Structure formats: structure tokens, C-alpha cells
Amino acid sequence: MKQLVRAFIAVIAIALALMYVTSVLNSEQGYSGGNTLTVYNWGDYIDPELIAEFEQETGVKVIYQTFDSNEAMLTKIAQGGTTFDIAVPSDYAISKMREEGLLLPIDHSQIPNLSHIDPRFMDLSFDPGNVYSVPYFWGTVGIVYNPELVGGKTFRSWNELWDPDLRNQILLVDGAREVIGMGLNSLGYSLNDTNEEHLQEAKRKLERLTPNVKALVGDEIKMLLAGEEAAVGLVWSGDASEIISENEKLDYVVPEEGSNVWFDNMVIPKTARNLPAAHAFINFMLDPEHAARNAEYVGYSTPNKDALALLPEEISGDKRFYPDEELLSKLEVYDNLGKRMLAHYNELFLEFKMHSK
Ligand code: SPD
């Protein structure tokens, strides 16, 4: 019995010694949350080799989870019980998270690579001074189409989506702001409109689009359009760029009535456990060589001016995905419309989805 007790004490002593050594090593590296970093990002939105390189360089193990809409991400972080160190919300969602106290300030002194970001993408209205967020990717919302499947037709206006010849030919990105915004823009209203009559008018107009809607989809939209399963899509520009690189017959246009310009930024949620690793990850992703590889891999537009300079001219010079100031000045950023109005947009979108089934 005594032997058993001695053996038990020895095991406990070894375990405690190991825990002590690990904690000393971790604190020397400054990683108070253990040697892990939990990243919460959109699906298909990072080159996985960069994650592996970050792990190798820092010794930090990355736990990677994905979401498919700002709304899903917001709900998950707000309800608690998560330990995300990094998340990648869009503009209006960043503003909402700031307002709800869900973000931690970013220590700029730990992000020297911030100097590579084009000043045009800094200090935007959803996060003045970039206190809580750092640019990751940006883009527009528009129409991707396959001229061969629509009799050689090209698109200039949102209203062309209502053409009866497009019956069951349109795929829509499964996003409340994108779909309701498109409905509002097609009527000449702002995609941030909160006038109830305008919203009901957009709702009725969108209901008339349903015979043309084949489905509302997530990341599969790229595979379906490149594979010619549908002729037309309402998409984010980065997805259009990826689709076109798979199938060069397709083209992308931002409609003349106006559309959305959006910004996805990295943030550190209140749930973070490993602040040094979170800052190290942001800085790593902002390194121009890493940011350029990431942009080439995912197909989205980089806000990193020194990464842009490393990209082939066929990417950096493509006005469809790096639009000029003239087009940008006609586009709107989604506003944070406040809790009640955002919930109303989501309701209208859900009703539209029910109608589309
Ligand atoms: N598959 C990556 C999708 C990222 C899209 N972010 C755009 C959000 C616009 N509000």
C-alpha cells in the first residue's frame, strides 16, 4: 500500500513539475492563453499554408473555425462560451461589435506591418483610428454572368435580373444585406434605407424575382457558377474573381444604379485568451509577401499596398476587382443600422427566402 501511495505522489509531482515548466516556457514567450490561437474567419478565406507557416514560426497551434455570414458570427460571439482570439467581421458588423463592447483594442505598436496598408483603407467610419480593427480584404457586390448561357447578353443594371428569360438561372449569395440591398438599389434607393415603405416596396419587388432564383447559396456559389449550373450570380467580387479564374467565359459587373463596397477587417474579440499570439497573427498576415500569397490564393482584393505591388499585373490591374475612384465614389458601405433595423432586414430576408423555396 505504502508503495502505491509513493508511486501516486511521484506521478503527481512529475505532473506538477511538467505543468510548471510549460507555464514558464509559455510566459517567456508571452502566451498567457496557452500555446493556441483560435481564429474565426469566413469560409474559403485564407491560404492554409500560411496557417502552417505561422504555427511553425511561432510555435502557436492555430484552432481554425469558419462562419458564413456576419449575422452568424455576431450571434456566436455575443452569446458567449467561445474563446476566439481573432475574428474577421465586415464594416457594419465591426461597428455593431464596438457598440456592444465585444472587441478589445489592438496595440498598434505590436503590428509594425500596419505600415503596408494603403491609407485609403485606414480610419474608415466603422472604426475611426483603427482602434479595434485592421484591414484584411475588401471588395464590391455585383453580378457575375456567363454570356454563353444568356444568348450573348451583357449586364449593366440590377433590373436586368428580372428578365423572364432568366427563369431558374440566378444564384444569390446567402446574405441579408446583399439581397435586401440589391432590392433597394434596383429601385434607386440607398442600400442603407430604413424607410418602411421603401423596404416593403423592395420586399415586393424581390418576391417577383423568385421565379428566376435557382437557389441562395454559400461558398458553393463559386463551384456552381464556374461549373455552369446557373447563368447568373449575385456575388462578392472576390468570389467572382475566383469563378472567372476557373472559367474565363464569365464576366463581372458592378451595376450602374450603385452597389456595396465592403471591408473585412481582423479584430480581437473580448473572448480572446492569447493577446500576444493574436497580435503576432495580425502582423504575420500583414507581411506583404504573406498578404500577396493570401490574395492570390483566395481571389479577394488586398488593402495591402506593398502586397499589391507583388501581385501579377493581370490581377492588380484588373479594374473589375480593383475598381477606380470613379466607380468607388458611387458605392455605399453598409451602415450599422442599429439592433432593431438590422433585425428587421434579417426578417425581410428570411421571408424572401421562404418565398424562394
Ligand atoms: N468566402 C469568403 C467570403 C468573404 C466575404 N466577405 C464579404 C462580406 C461583405 N459584407
Side-chain angles (χ1 to χ4, degrees):
M1 181 67 183
K2 266 188 186 163
Q3 265 177 343
L4 227 122
V5 172
R6 269 195 219 118
F8 180 70
I9 291 171
V11 168
I12 298 283
I14 291 169
L16 286 174
L18 276 175
M19 275 165 65
Y20 174 73
V21 170
T22 314
S23 80
V24 168
L25 284 177
N26 280 343
S27 68
E28 274 170 7
Q29 290 173 53
Y31 300 131
S32 58
N35 240 357
T36 63
L37 177 81
T38 309
V39 177
Y40 196 31
N41 197 357
W42 295 82
D44 287 356
Y45 218 28
I46 198 163
D47 176 352
E49 277 186 14
L50 289 168
I51 300 178
E53 279 178 38
F54 174 78
E55 289 183 322
Q56 212 165 25
E57 217 169 84
T58 59
V60 174
K61 168 100 191 83
V62 174
I63 299 165
Y64 195 78
Q65 291 185 38
T66 61
F67 57 85
D68 54 15
S69 70
N70 280 302
E71 288 64 35
M73 180 271 313
L74 280 165
T75 307
K76 189 141 183 177
I77 291 185
Q79 78 193 4
T82 55
T83 57
F84 299 121
D85 295 297
I86 295 280
V88 190
S90 313
D91 34 65
Y92 72 97
I94 295 170
S95 165
K96 188 166 192 299
M97 291 174 91
R98 273 178 44 210
E99 216 173 78
E100 294 178 7
L102 294 174
L103 299 177
L104 294 177
I106 293 175
D107 177 358
H108 288 206
S109 73
Q110 291 186 54
I111 322 278
N113 285 333
L114 208 46
S115 62
H116 301 295
I117 298 293
D118 184 330
R120 288 186 305 147
F121 300 101
M122 297 289 289
D123 200 24
L124 298 178
S125 59
F126 54 86
D127 182 21
N130 290 89
V131 177
Y132 297 99
S133 75
V134 165
Y136 185 64
F137 283 120
W138 70 284
T140 57
V141 170
I143 299 173
V144 70
Y145 62 97
N146 186 332
E148 276 187 10
L149 299 183
V150 290
K153 180 179 165 50
T154 55
F155 287 79
R156 284 178 52 202
S157 160
W158 289 121
N159 285 298
E160 285 160 325
L161 296 179
W162 276 258
D163 182 342
D165 287 348
L166 294 179
R167 195 175 180 88
N168 208 30
Q169 279 303 326
I170 302 178
L171 294 174
L172 301 177
V173 64
D174 192 359
R177 294 301 296 264
E178 286 73 12
V179 172
I180 303 294
M182 180 264 282
L184 287 164
N185 274 167
S186 75
L187 290 161
Y189 300 137
S190 159
L191 44 69
N192 291 310
D193 205 324
T194 56
N195 176 306
E196 189 54 26
E197 271 176 36
H198 295 170
L199 287 169
Q200 290 303 328
E201 201 182 332
K203 181 189 167 192
R204 288 193 295 276
K205 182 157 185 192
L206 285 168
E207 282 172 2
R208 293 198 294 279
L209 183 67
T210 54
N212 288 359
V213 177
K214 191 177 174 102
L216 285 109
V217 276
D219 283 327
E220 327 78 272
I221 203 164
K222 292 180 280 186
M223 189 190 70
L224 294 170
L225 286 160
E228 309 197 352
E229 297 287 332
V232 181
L234 166 74
V235 294
W236 294 307
S237 51
D239 282 357
S241 144
E242 183 71 12
I243 292 164
I244 294 169
S245 72
E246 292 289 321
N247 184 341
E248 288 185 355
K249 283 183 226 159
L250 280 87
D251 204 356
Y252 175 73
V253 68
V254 176
E256 60 194 8
E257 297 92 348
S259 183
N260 165 238
V261 56
W262 53 263
F263 307 93
D264 287 346
N265 283 15
M266 291 180 276
V267 299
I268 303 182
K270 262 261 158 63
T271 54
R273 295 274 172 88
N274 195 342
L275 290 180
H279 285 86
F281 183 81
I282 294 175
N283 197 49
F284 178 90
M285 295 310 295
L286 262 47
D287 172 273
E289 194 248 331
H290 298 156
R293 275 166 56 200
N294 205 24
E296 248 191 297
Y297 184 90
V298 301
Y300 275 77
S301 309
T302 181
N304 187 314
K305 60 180 167 42
D306 298 318
L308 190 62
L310 298 176
L311 290 173
E313 162 68 19
E314 68 193 69
I315 296 181
S316 58
D318 192 331
K319 286 256 168 58
R320 292 171 299 181
F321 307 116
Y322 288 94
D324 53 27
E325 288 304 322
E326 194 191 331
L327 174 61
L328 287 175
S329 65
K330 294 185 197 151
L331 307 180
E332 292 177 283
V333 182
Y334 296 132
D335 285 344
N336 171 10
L337 301 174
K339 209 177 178 116
R340 279 188 50 206
M341 191 47 72
L342 285 174
H344 187 40
Y345 265 61
N346 290 338
E347 269 165 29
L348 293 171
F349 178 56
L350 281 179
E351 286 166 22
F352 168 72
K353 275 171 91 165
M354 299 286 283
H355 209 269
S356 304
K357 281 192 176 150

